[in-house]
Amino acid sequence: GGLMAHYLVQASYTSGSWATQVENPENRIEAVGKMLAAKGITLLSGYYAFGEFDVCLIIEGPDNVTAASALIAAAAGGAVSKIQTTVLMTAEEGLDAIKGAGSVDYTPPGA
């Protein structure tokens, strides 16, 4: 296949979801990984987090639509109160983007 896209997914659990996990501890990151895999997404790494978000995942997928579909399905389960996704680029992709910017002829409004 072609190049896969990478995403940082940050999510927070609802209080109800935390209560369920306390009653029945299990590796939810592993479970989410299996669910994402069924939708063509690879979970590269997952972490519990302190702060604004409870879980942090690095995932890989073929495109934005596939990634969004998988994440919407995960969010629809009701365990997550908020979810934020950031598209990640490799250093090479970033450099290509920076080089590409040099070839764009842009005139700001009112100039």
Side-chain angles (χ1 to χ4, degrees):
L3 276 175
M4 297 292 261
H6 293 83
Y7 306 88
L8 164 65
V9 181
Q10 294 167 286
S12 294
Y13 288 125
T14 62
S15 56
S17 177
W18 275 124
T20 302
Q21 291 182 69
V22 168
E23 287 166 24
N24 181 23
E26 62 169 338
N27 188 335
R28 292 300 308 151
I29 290 173
E30 197 173 79
V32 168
K34 286 177 183 161
M35 192 275 293
L36 293 174
K39 305 229 175 243
I41 302 292
T42 303
L43 173 63
L44 298 180
S45 55
Y47 305 91
Y48 283 95
F50 291 106
E52 192 179 348
F53 295 98
D54 299 321
V55 180
C56 199
L57 309 174
I58 305 287
I59 64 170
E60 183 180 61
D63 54 63
N64 289 349
V65 173
T66 304
S69 298
L71 294 170
I72 289 166
V80 172
S81 61
K82 66 178 166 185
I83 190 164
Q84 177 176 299
T85 305
T86 305
V87 180
L88 303 176
M89 290 193 291
T90 64
E92 291 81 10
E93 289 168 330
L95 194 55
D96 286 347
I98 293 164
K99 287 176 182 170
S103 65
V104 176
D105 187 18
Y106 174 72
T107 304

